[in-house]
Amino acid sequence: MIIADQNIKSKHLDSLINLKNHLKLRNYSSKTCKAYIDINLKFLEWTRKSPREISNNDLKRYLEYRRHAGVSASTLSVTMNALKFYYQKILKRKFFADIKHPKKAQILPVVLSLEDVYKLLDRLDNQKHRLALSLMYGSGLRVAEVVALKVQDLDFDRKIIHVKSGKGNKDRITILSPKLAQELKLFLKNKQAQEYVISGRENKPLTTRSIQKVFIKALKQAEIKKQATCHSLRHSFATHLLENGTDIRYIQKLLGHKKLETTQIYTQVTNKAIQGLVSPLDLI
């Protein structure tokens, strides 16, 4: 039975070579390529059919199966995108016309206050770790972008950072804090242009997991009770810019959001919009 299952899996992988080639030609990131192939492979294993035998009903049943298994709306949406790409764009099948994307739950981002950020950074004795978190908060970088950042990506004269191959494999420009630039200049004094800004031994990049562990430890030491993650620093960057009067379209560009609607989530967590309101409790 095990040998038979391995043969089926091998046959499915052969069928998905075309998917892999198309994803590479369209310059999808390696992470997306792997996810799309894994999703399509699991689907084929579940149906025990070849791609040419798949019907629209098979897709509907599988998505319903995944929904009942308790996967999130965002995971289900990614699953749909992966299947849709293969069956519509590559195999040219007229599927998904009656299948709608699941409605995502609107979860507001966790935002740290200025005091929270100060306490968090103040707990870090290791300069490298403090710089890593400072880049996330001061420039709105994702943790994966911080570990991939190279010395040549920093423009100290113009006070900007060139983020290369960010999410969606897109480049963008974001701001570099003059205060942070001054510290980075000294920190990178003996590094070459091709070297990583935040590196481990032998100039190898740190893992995103190692930075996440640094953040969690600093969060505990600073006694911050919010359910924050590294990404909360990026959320805080956007929210604090908005509160300081920065046009939301500039923030959209700095974050690298394709749609303005994605950036507009921060209008719901900004304190400036509600700080002048008076609670009825205070009127008693």
Side-chain angles (χ1 to χ4, degrees):
M1 182 66 180
I2 294 174
I3 295 173
D5 286 345
Q6 287 176 342
N7 289 337
I8 291 169
K9 185 173 182 177
S10 178
K11 184 179 179 181
H12 289 332
L13 282 171
D14 289 341
S15 302
L16 296 174
I17 288 174
N18 203 18
L19 169 61
K20 185 177 181 179
N21 292 337
H22 271 75
L23 289 166
K24 285 185 174 180
L25 281 171
R26 296 190 183 212
N27 208 26
Y28 278 70
S29 69
S30 57
K31 186 177 178 181
T32 301
C33 288
K34 185 180 184 305
Y36 275 32
I37 291 166
D38 286 347
I39 288 167
N40 275 280
L41 181 60
K42 286 176 182 177
F43 169 61
L44 291 174
E45 288 175 344
W46 182 81
T47 60
R48 302 185 74 84
K49 292 182 178 181
S50 72
R52 294 290 176 186
E53 294 172 323
I54 295 299
S55 68
N56 191 59
N57 193 50
D58 290 325
L59 293 162
K60 288 171 73 174
R61 288 192 306 108
Y62 182 66
L63 292 168
E64 191 65 19
Y65 157 74
R66 295 288 288 152
R67 188 178 69 81
H68 283 300
V71 300
S72 66
S74 57
T75 299
L76 204 58
S77 192
V78 171
T79 301
M80 263 191 80
N81 288 337
L83 295 171
K84 202 170 186 178
F85 184 91
Y86 185 44
Y87 289 96
Q88 274 194 351
K89 295 185 183 295
I90 298 175
L91 298 184
K92 306 299 181 184
R93 305 290 293 278
K94 294 180 180 179
F95 291 157
F96 293 95
D98 59 342
I99 305 176
K100 306 298 181 186
H101 273 271
K103 189 175 182 181
K104 294 182 183 179
Q106 179 124 7
I107 300 172
L108 294 178
V110 175
V111 175
L112 301 172
S113 67
L114 287 169
E115 185 183 356
D116 287 337
V117 176
Y118 174 80
K119 288 195 296 183
L120 187 77
L121 297 177
D122 190 53
R123 293 302 185 275
L124 294 167
D125 296 324
N126 185 304
Q127 186 184 22
K128 178 169 62 179
H129 294 161
R130 188 175 66 254
L131 287 172
L133 299 196
S134 295
L135 282 164
M136 278 183 271
Y137 174 66
S139 303
L141 300 186
R142 300 176 177 90
V143 62
E145 292 168 348
V146 169
V147 298
L149 195 66
K150 293 188 176 180
V151 177
Q152 63 189 8
D153 300 329
L154 304 176
D155 189 332
F156 291 115
D157 294 329
R158 297 169 64 202
K159 299 295 185 294
I160 59 173
I161 297 175
H162 189 180
V163 184
K164 297 176 180 175
S165 299
K167 189 175 181 181
N169 214 20
K170 296 172 185 174
D171 289 6
R172 75 177 190 280
I173 298 293
T174 189
I175 55 177
L176 173 60
S177 154
K179 183 195 294 185
L180 184 57
Q182 191 175 0
E183 187 176 358
L184 279 169
K185 267 188 180 180
L186 294 173
F187 179 73
L188 301 172
K189 190 175 180 180
N190 299 316
K191 285 200 174 191
Q192 301 300 313
Q194 290 286 343
E195 293 185 58
Y196 291 100
V197 173
I198 308 296
S199 59
R201 294 177 182 177
E202 300 177 0
N203 193 43
K204 291 182 179 179
L206 293 178
T207 63
T208 55
R209 184 61 187 148
S210 65
I211 299 296
Q212 288 163 348
K213 285 181 178 178
V214 167
F215 177 85
I216 292 168
K217 184 178 179 182
L219 198 70
K220 288 180 180 177
Q221 290 177 337
E223 298 181 349
I224 297 170
K225 306 300 182 183
K226 295 174 182 175
Q227 294 295 310
T229 65
C230 278
H231 212 66
S232 298
L233 291 171
R234 178 173 154 90
H235 291 321
S236 304
F237 163 81
T239 304
H240 295 165
L241 280 178
L242 193 61
E243 289 178 345
N244 286 330
T246 306
D247 188 288
I248 196 166
R249 292 190 181 276
Y250 287 132
I251 299 173
Q252 177 192 359
K253 295 295 182 186
L254 295 174
L255 294 175
H257 288 164
K258 185 178 180 181
K259 297 179 180 178
L260 182 62
E261 288 81 1
T262 307
T263 317
Q264 285 175 331
I265 187 72
Y266 298 110
T267 62
Q268 298 185 45
V269 290
T270 176
N271 185 48
K272 195 169 185 178
I274 60 172
Q275 62 185 0
L277 301 178
V278 178
S279 167
L281 181 64
D282 296 321
L283 300 175
I284 299 173

